[in-house]
Amino acid sequence: MPVVDVDPDELRQLTGHDEKSDEALKEDLFALGLEFEGETEDGKLQLEFGPDRLDRLSVEGVARSLRYQYGDDRGVYVPNTNDPDWTIVVDDSTPDERPYVTGAVIRGVDLDDDALDSLIQLQEKLHATMGRKRAKGAIGIHDLTMLKGAAHGEDGGNSITYRGVAPDGDRFVPLDSDREMTPADVLEDHPTGETYASLVEEYDRYPAIYDDIGLFSFPPVINGRRTEVSTDSRELFVELTGTDQWTIDRMCNVICYALDARGATVEEVEVEYADGRLVRPDFEVDEKTVAHERIEGMLGVDLSVEETVDLFERSGLGAEPSDADAGVTYEVSIPPYRTDVLHPLDLIDDVGRAYGFNDLDPTYPDVATVGGRHERSVHEAAVRTSLVGLGFEDLLNFHMISEAENYDRMGVDSGTDVVGGGEPVTITEPYSEDYTMLRTWALPSLLMVLENNTHRAYPQDLAEVGLAAVADDGENTGVAERRTVAGVVARNDATYEDAKARLAALCHDFDADLSTPATTHPTFIDGRAAEVVIDGETVGVIGEVHPRVLVEHDLELPVAAFEFRLDALA
């Protein structure tokens, strides 16, 4: 999850609560769901965010949430906007792979060093999250005074053009450079270009934005030096390009709200497509309906209609109650910067936070039975206990992973019949490229932990009992899930025998018969790998991890590992 650096002095200034100590701020932030992760060398608070509240990726957004929490602000706030003077014309040559653009003009902003640092951080955090590392949406922020708009329309407005450019076409001076370069030169010779080259290098024509002087932005890679923003900038042009209009519009809203909190004025921009025109930013207020009974039932508290409306307003939402015979419902207004409200449960979560989750009293559900541990859970706990007794450290990893981690870095091909090689269960619209599928086995997760723990002392013996899944048309859901057991032994003298000794002891604890006939597996060294056969059934694999896989994970010592189906020990 993203971690954002927030200056506590700026936070006090923007909230208007100078009396708040750092400790009091940390408590208030935790109530909002923002966890304190430490401090930077210059005293900034490092806060970890849930990936849903992208409006809090800047000190301005955090301050806004705190002002609502304190009751200083209430209800839905929508910034006033000036009528458009600038137009973004989308040319027919714009690459089909990245056809969408949006933007806004910002006037009268006061950018001191702190404000500029916050804007840059917000831009990069939005790139990393909602923009999916600029693949889905990329932000360019320019000094408006350095742009020369082309005359446009009968009223003499200004325009810039979003179009395609040949890789070896027009030249410009990119940021952090002092020489003119073609777009192809940028991808080959500029550090930022090398980082993001994969996003556009397969295009026949690259995305580019021109004013009346020439090329000044090469999205999603880099802006031109001519329009670089500094603390002297007072008027900005914000442009976003991407593969989805909704995404870049919402990213634009978050930026506009952050700059509005700095006292800036937002001015609309027209976007002229071949098939129509849009006026942006899109500050339309969304609405959803939720029943009063459902709020009370979910939170377990009795609330009056007035109290509920108050809690909605202290969440930055608006609520109009109805007098329906079937019970009160609320038409809830949602501000344009909220990208996370997809369901009535999201609204109930906001009400609960405004009420205070720590103030909720636990109550027994109104049912006739008392819950207990499922037999499967009891069995899993017994296996975990045995693993811990054998010297393993018990882990709980994410069930989601990327294709690269699950297959490529392990040397495994998808769709094969080796352990871990099943067809992936993929996410149609993943929120992050790091979590695009359900893992088909747990061993990649353990190696990722080892990779992140190279600074820790060895030996490191890790184990996990968790979920694995593969696509299976034979299942009603199209997904075959199973519980899996995986373990790794990482030390300077780790061998196949070390892993097998642990596995044999584990099987002995559950009166299971173990045999290990030789096999081959792309993750393990040939001649040092075997099938895991329990009570006559092949259920997994064991062996010494191949040096190729170790190098891929930056591991410099041997690792022996095993993985098998949990139900084999039932």
Side-chain angles (χ1 to χ4, degrees), residues 8 29 35 37 46 50 90 103 150 161 185 191 242 279 323 398 434 461 477 479 526 542 544 560:
L29 292 167
E35 296 191 25
E37 291 292 310
Q46 294 183 305
V90 182
T161 303
D185 292 337
V279 176
D323 294 324
F398 292 129
D434 295 328
D461 300 340
T477 61
V479 178
D526 288 348
I542 183 173
E544 294 179 15

Side-chain angles (χ1 to χ4, degrees), residues 322-329:
S322 69
D323 294 324
D325 294 336
V328 175
T329 60

Side-chain angles (χ1 to χ4, degrees), residues 57-78:
L57 290 177
S58 67
V59 65
E60 297 87 359
V62 175
R64 182 191 311 113
S65 293
L66 284 176
R67 287 185 59 81
Y68 279 120
Q69 184 184 30
Y70 297 152
D72 298 332
D73 291 335
R74 308 181 68 83
V76 174
Y77 170 69
V78 178

Side-chain angles (χ1 to χ4, degrees), residues 442-457:
L443 191 53
S445 300
L446 298 186
L447 287 179
M448 290 167 64
V449 174
L450 288 177
E451 181 178 17
N452 292 328
N453 279 351
T454 54
H455 61 293
R456 301 290 186 182

Side-chain angles (χ1 to χ4, degrees), residues 2 70 87 92 99 102 146 197 218 279 343 358 374 389 411 418 423 448 457 474 484 503 507 519 533:
Y70 297 152
T87 299
D92 291 340
T102 192
M146 301 307 296
F218 175 23
V279 176
H343 189 277
N358 291 336
H374 192 278
V418 301
E423 291 286 351
M448 290 167 64
T484 189
L503 179 59
C507 291
T519 191
V533 179

Side-chain angles (χ1 to χ4, degrees), residues 31-105:
L32 288 174
L34 313 182
E35 296 191 25
F36 174 69
E37 291 292 310
E39 293 187 8
T40 64
E41 292 182 358
D42 55 356
K44 291 184 179 180
L45 307 180
Q46 294 183 305
L47 305 176
E48 184 178 67
F49 289 69
D52 54 340
R53 290 301 300 268
L54 301 180
D55 57 292
R56 294 173 176 168
L57 290 177
S58 67
V59 65
E60 297 87 359
V62 175
R64 182 191 311 113
S65 293
L66 284 176
R67 287 185 59 81
Y68 279 120
Q69 184 184 30
Y70 297 152
D72 298 332
D73 291 335
R74 308 181 68 83
V76 174
Y77 170 69
V78 178
N80 293 322
T81 57
N82 292 340
D83 292 336
D85 179 55
W86 285 79
T87 299
I88 304 175
V89 179
V90 182
D91 189 76
D92 291 340
S93 63
T94 302
D96 293 337
E97 299 90 343
R98 202 174 187 88
Y100 299 106
V101 65
T102 192
V105 168

Side-chain angles (χ1 to χ4, degrees), residues 193-211:
E194 294 173 2
T195 300
Y196 297 104
S198 61
L199 298 179
V200 297
E201 60 187 357
E202 299 299 324
Y203 295 2
D204 293 332
R205 296 177 66 83
Y206 295 159
I209 303 180
Y210 288 73
D211 66 354

